[in-house]
Amino acid sequence: MSDKHDFEEMLEPAQAAAQLKISVATLRKYSLIVEDVTGNGEYFVRTKQKTRLYSAQNVADLHDFKQLSKDASLTLKEAARQIYAVEDAQQSAPEVVVDPDNLNQGQVVELLQLLQSTIAQQNEAIKNLQQQVATVQKQNKQLLNMQQALDVPKKTTKSVQTELKFDQPDGLMIFQIWNQRMWSACLSRLSRS
């Protein structure tokens, strides 16, 4: 006998929404998108009154879905396809037991159709991941450019500090004016980016 329970605690929409820090209406919207993307109108467990209930895994997946749509600048449907595509591929691929010695033409056609469907799903998942990687690379490049723009004044300031003589009042004044102009130019460049 195992100590594992055969039941899982389910959350009502208000509880799940609170954990996700979204409204119940937004949770309903997200749930509809998930059901649409998975092609399963009964993806979530429902009560007799047709109210959705959410497992801990559902809440975790919805959290990932929410974060991905915000962080990767994806539409809600695109984010749902990425989160639920892998899970769907695992769930939708039926286990086919085939005796290679006794295959008829219908079984071969069915097998090929299943393989084509699986390949199409995997290609779609790969395409989505490639788009996400491209977006992340673009964001990283922008961040590096911004960092370099901020590093330039620091390097220039240090080189000017070594060139100017601070024991002379005129040198200090020149440095202060130059420093103000340099930071103003940097800030205006950053605000245009």
Side-chain angles (χ1 to χ4, degrees), residues 72-155:
S73 301
L74 300 174
T75 66
L76 292 173
K77 275 201 171 189
E78 289 170 341
R81 283 188 192 111
Q82 289 194 17
I83 296 294
Y84 295 95
V86 174
E87 184 177 313
D88 292 342
Q90 293 170 349
Q91 291 176 356
S92 66
E95 187 175 325
V96 179
V97 179
V98 177
D99 180 10
D101 297 331
N102 296 325
L103 282 178
N104 65 34
Q105 189 174 7
Q107 290 173 323
V108 171
V109 169
E110 184 180 344
L111 240 153
L112 288 174
Q113 288 173 342
L114 282 171
L115 287 172
Q116 286 175 333
S117 173
T118 302
I119 290 170
Q121 288 175 350
Q122 290 174 342
N123 285 339
E124 184 66 27
I126 289 169
K127 180 182 170 188
N128 289 335
L129 289 172
Q130 286 172 334
Q131 289 173 346
Q132 189 177 0
V133 166
T135 302
V136 168
Q137 287 174 335
K138 182 180 174 185
Q139 291 170 346
N140 285 345
K141 187 174 182 178
Q142 290 172 344
L143 288 172
L144 287 172
N145 289 339
M146 290 172 69
Q147 182 181 11
Q148 287 173 349
L150 290 174
D151 286 344
V152 169
K154 291 178 186 174
K155 291 177 185 173

Side-chain angles (χ1 to χ4, degrees), residues 29-56:
K29 176 182 174 182
Y30 287 179
S31 300
L32 286 169
I33 291 170
V34 169
E35 290 172 347
D36 181 47
V37 166
T38 61
N40 182 1
E42 297 176 8
Y43 185 87
F44 299 100
V45 175
R46 293 183 182 254
T47 65
K48 290 180 184 179
Q49 293 81 23
K50 303 291 183 193
T51 302
R52 290 180 188 91
L53 296 175
Y54 300 89
S55 68

